[in-house]
Structures are given as structure tokens and as C-alpha cells.
């Protein structure tokens, strides 16, 4: 009892002196500690929350990246599938278009081959001079009312070229029903003596025709092609073809002095002793070979002018580079 009385007195003392009792002080200290503990807990929680948010953000970022990668991969997959689909569709369209085009072409060809609209109504021939139109049409074997597509142009041209005068030909289809044949003819440039007749020759040595008259062309005398080989449509043999090249050179040289139209004949039997007959001038010119032809013809022309109306022979068959002089020998038997 004494102890309790003592504590009561002490409390009364503290109260009277404005001081808290011991219990109050203890209670106050407890509350302070509790607040400090609560504050520490909150701070720890805040730290934990901060750490958690950082990790969460990292996780979220990684998740987003993975999601983006998946989306991009999905887009690529869709794009590849789309490309394959478009490529497949394009191939299908090409096949369909090709099929339709072939169908149209086949249909058009079939129609053109059977339709009377494309039957030949007229055959025209152009640029022909030596061969008449009827002969060319006959050679071509083309006929009216025949389908304009039902013949081979190359074969038709070969048939026409069986005529020696026809060097080449072109065939034009003028739709719907006209055929135009354009021919290229060989030119009769020379004639060759042949068994009392004349073989017409072009400059390439093709034998165009065997005829009775000469048609006022330069006559080649002394060809060596055998008689049995002188056939229309064939060429002279090689030796004569070589000499024909010399003939062309001689005629070009005479043309420089307007003498080409006066050359009646050329003797080609010896390539080292060519001679020409100028019948209008009453002169025969011995040229020798074809060297220095231009100079030889210069002297020949001068002698012709000087010896007008005189018949005779002009000798130009020497080497002008070796002091040879062209000279004239008048004929005494006129």
C-alpha cells in the first residue's frame, strides 16, 4: 500500500508540475518508434516499388520488341504470300492471254484460208520489159479464184526465175484479192557468135536467149564454151567469164571517148590479143591485153580524129611503158 501511495503521489507531483507520468512517457516513446517503423516500412515499400517498376518497364520493353518482331515477321510472311499469289495470278493471266491470242490467230487464219473474200481476183506484173505479162503469170502458176494465202512465195519466185531474163522477183499481196509481181530482169548487153546465130548475154555471162538477129549489140567473137553448153539459162564457162570481165573493162575505156556505141565486135579468142572492130569508123583496133587501156584509148581516139574516113588498122598492142607508140596502118584494099 505504501508503494502504491508513493506512485500516486509521484504522479500527482508530475501533474502538479506539468510533467507527464512515466507511463505517458513510455507510451509516447512507443508511438514514436511505431511511427518511425511505419515510415521505414513505407520507405522500403517505395524502394521496392521503384525497383519493381524498373524491372517491369524492362520486361514491357522486351515484350514490346518481341511483339514488334512477331508482327514484322507476320507482315513479311503475308508479303511473301502476297507476292507468290500475285506471281501465280500473273502466270495464269499470261497463260489465259496466250491461249486467247492463239485462239484468235488460229480462228483468223482459218477464216482467211477458207473465206472467198481472200480469193485472187487480179494478178498484176510490174517492171517487165523483155518477158511479157502472160508468160510471167504462166510461170508463176498463180490462178484467179485461188486463195491468196495458199501459195508459197519463194517457190513461186523460183518458178518464174526459170526464165533466163528474170533475175529476181518480189510478190506483194494486196489484200483482200490482188497479187502484184515485181520482176527484176537481166539486160541483154552482148551477143556471142554461135553456129550462125547469136547467144544473148548479160554482163554476168548468163545466156538469155538464142536468136537469129543481133539486136545491134556488141558481138563477142571467139568464145570457148562448148556448143552443147550454150543453153538458155546457163552461164558461159569460167574461161569465157574471165574474158567477159576484160570485155567490160574495154567497153568502159571506149566509153570515156564516146566510142562504146561504135564498137561492132570484140575478138576475145586470145586474152593477150584483144581487138575491137569500129565498123562505123572503118577501123580495127588491136589492143593486146588490158594493161594501160585508158592511155591506149587516148591514142586510138586521137588517130581516129586525125584519120577520118580512112579505113585501116590501129595498133595499140604494145607496152606503152617501153617506148611503144600507137600507130595507124591504112588499108590499101578498100
Amino acid at each position: 500500500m505504501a508503494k502504491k501511495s508513493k506512485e500516486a503521489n509521484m504522479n500527482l507531483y508530475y501533474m502538479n508540475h506539468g510533467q507527464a507520468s512515466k507511463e505517458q512517457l513510455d507510451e509516447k516513446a512507443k508511438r514514436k518508434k511505431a511511427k518511425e517503423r511505419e515510415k521505414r516500412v513505407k520507405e522500403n515499400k517505395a524502394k521496392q516499388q521503384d525497383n519493381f517498376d524498373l524491372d517491369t518497364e524492362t520486361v514491357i520493353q522486351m515484350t514490346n520488341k518481341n511483339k514488334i518482331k512477331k508482327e514484322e515477321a507476320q507482315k513479311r510472311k503475308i508479303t511473301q504470300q502476297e507476292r507468290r499469289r500475285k506471281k501465280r495470278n500473273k502466270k495464269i493471266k499470261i497463260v489465259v492471254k496466250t491461249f486467247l491470242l492463239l485462239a484468235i490467230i488460229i480462228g483468223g487464219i482459218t477464216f482467211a484460208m477458207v473465206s472467198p473474200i481472200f480469193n485472187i481476183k487480179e494478178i498484176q506484173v510490174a517492171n517487165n520489159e523483155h518477158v511479157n505479162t502472160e508468160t510471167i503469170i504462166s510461170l508463176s502458176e498463180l490462178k484467179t479464184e485461188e486463195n491468196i494465202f495458199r501459195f508459197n512465195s519463194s517457190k513461186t519466185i523460183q518458178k518464174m526465175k526459170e526464165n533466163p531474163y528474170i533475175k529476181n522477183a518480189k510478190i506483194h499481196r494486196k489484200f483482200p484479192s490482188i497479187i502484184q509481181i515485181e520482176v527484176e530482169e537481166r539486160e541483154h548487153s552482148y551477143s556471142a557468135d554461135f553456129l550462125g546465130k547469136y547467144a544473148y548475154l548479160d554482163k554476168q555471162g548468163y545466156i538469155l536467149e538464142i536468136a537469129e538477129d543481133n539486136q545491134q549489140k556488141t558481138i563477142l567473137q571467139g568464145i570457148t564454151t562448148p556448143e552443147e553448153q550454150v543453153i538458155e539459162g546457163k552461164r558461159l564457162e569460167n574461161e569465157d567469164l574471165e574474158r567477159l570481165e576484160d570485155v567490160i573493162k574495154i567497153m568502159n575505156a571506149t566509153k570515156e571517148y564516146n566510142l562504146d556505141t561504135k564498137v561492132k565486135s570484140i575478138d576475145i579468142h586470145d586474152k593477150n590479143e584483144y581487138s575491137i572492130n569500129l565498123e562505123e569508123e572503118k577501123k580495127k583496133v588491136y589492143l593486146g591485153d588490158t594493161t594501160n587501156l585508158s592511155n591506149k584509148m587516148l591514142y586510138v581516139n586521137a588517130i581516129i580524129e586525125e584519120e577520118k574516113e580512112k579505113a585501116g588498122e590501129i595498133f595499140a598492142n604494145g607496152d606503152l611503158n617501153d617506148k611503144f607508140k600507137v600507130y595507124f596502118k591504112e588499108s590499101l584494099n578498100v
Side-chain angles (χ1 to χ4, degrees), residues 86-109:
K86 287 183 178 179
K87 190 174 181 180
R88 184 172 60 252
N89 291 342
K90 186 176 180 180
K91 287 182 178 179
I92 293 172
K93 287 180 180 179
I94 291 173
V95 171
V96 172
K97 287 181 179 179
T98 302
F99 177 78
L100 290 175
L101 181 61
L102 288 174
I104 292 171
I105 292 173
I106 293 171
I109 292 174

Side-chain angles (χ1 to χ4, degrees), residues 134-239:
E134 290 73 19
T135 300
I136 293 173
I137 293 175
S138 176
L139 287 168
S140 72
E141 297 183 359
L142 296 175
K143 295 178 176 60
T144 55
E145 299 306 324
E146 177 185 4
N147 187 278
I148 201 170
F149 297 103
R150 287 184 178 273
F151 69 90
N152 184 291
S153 295
S154 297
K155 290 183 179 179
T156 301
I157 290 171
Q158 288 302 318
K159 290 175 183 175
M160 290 187 288
K161 288 171 69 174
E162 291 176 2
N163 186 295
Y165 275 103
I166 298 177
K167 183 177 182 180
N168 206 348
K170 294 180 181 179
I171 295 177
H172 306 284
R173 291 177 171 89
K174 303 291 184 180
F175 297 111
S177 59
I178 296 176
I179 293 293
Q180 186 180 74
I181 301 172
E182 183 180 350
V183 298
E184 179 185 357
E185 293 183 328
R186 292 187 173 91
E187 291 295 327
H188 172 198
S189 300
Y190 308 105
S191 296
D193 278 337
F194 172 68
L195 296 177
K197 297 182 180 181
Y198 297 97
Y200 293 173
L201 307 172
D202 74 347
K203 290 182 179 180
Q204 284 74 45
Y206 281 96
I207 301 168
L208 307 178
E209 186 179 349
I210 307 298
E212 299 289 340
D213 64 336
N214 174 40
Q215 287 192 348
Q216 296 183 342
K217 299 294 182 179
T218 300
I219 300 170
L220 303 185
Q221 298 172 328
I223 64 170
T224 59
T225 299
E227 295 174 0
E228 63 273 14
Q229 295 298 320
V230 182
I231 301 171
E232 293 179 355
K234 290 187 174 293
R235 294 183 76 185
L236 299 176
E237 291 197 339
N238 289 336
E239 187 176 354

Side-chain angles (χ1 to χ4, degrees), residues 118-131:
F118 295 101
N119 286 354
I120 299 172
K121 302 298 182 185
E122 183 181 359
I123 302 174
Q124 302 173 349
V125 179
N127 299 337
N128 57 315
E129 181 180 348
H130 300 291
V131 187

Side-chain angles (χ1 to χ4, degrees), residues 44-59:
N44 290 334
K45 284 184 177 180
K47 290 180 180 180
Q48 291 178 359
Q49 185 65 36
D50 290 341
N51 292 335
F52 177 79
D53 288 342
L54 181 61
D55 294 339
T56 301
E57 184 177 357
T58 302
V59 171

Side-chain angles (χ1 to χ4, degrees), residues 220-277:
L220 303 185
Q221 298 172 328
I223 64 170
T224 59
T225 299
E227 295 174 0
E228 63 273 14
Q229 295 298 320
V230 182
I231 301 171
E232 293 179 355
K234 290 187 174 293
R235 294 183 76 185
L236 299 176
E237 291 197 339
N238 289 336
E239 187 176 354
D240 285 334
L241 291 177
E242 291 175 3
R243 294 176 184 181
L244 183 59
E245 292 181 3
D246 288 341
V247 168
I248 294 172
K249 293 176 183 178
I250 292 170
M251 293 302 293
N252 288 336
T254 60
K255 191 173 183 178
E256 292 181 32
Y257 302 96
N258 297 320
L259 296 174
D260 55 314
T261 57
K262 298 179 181 182
V263 179
K264 177 68 175 179
S265 63
I266 303 178
D267 190 335
I268 63 170
H269 78 280
D270 185 346
K271 65 180 181 180
N272 294 314
E273 287 295 340
Y274 292 124
S275 63
I276 62 177
N277 181 18

Side-chain angles (χ1 to χ4, degrees), residues 64 66-76 78:
N64 288 339
N66 291 333
K67 184 178 180 181
I68 291 171
K69 287 182 179 179
K70 288 181 180 179
E71 289 177 350
E72 289 178 349
Q74 185 67 20
K75 285 180 180 179
R76 285 196 297 270
I78 293 172

Side-chain angles (χ1 to χ4, degrees), residues 29-44:
K30 288 180 181 179
R31 284 198 299 270
K32 184 177 179 180
K33 289 180 179 180
K35 286 181 181 181
E36 289 176 352
R37 185 169 56 252
E38 185 178 353
K39 183 178 180 180
R40 286 195 300 270
V41 170
K42 286 181 179 181
E43 289 176 353
N44 290 334

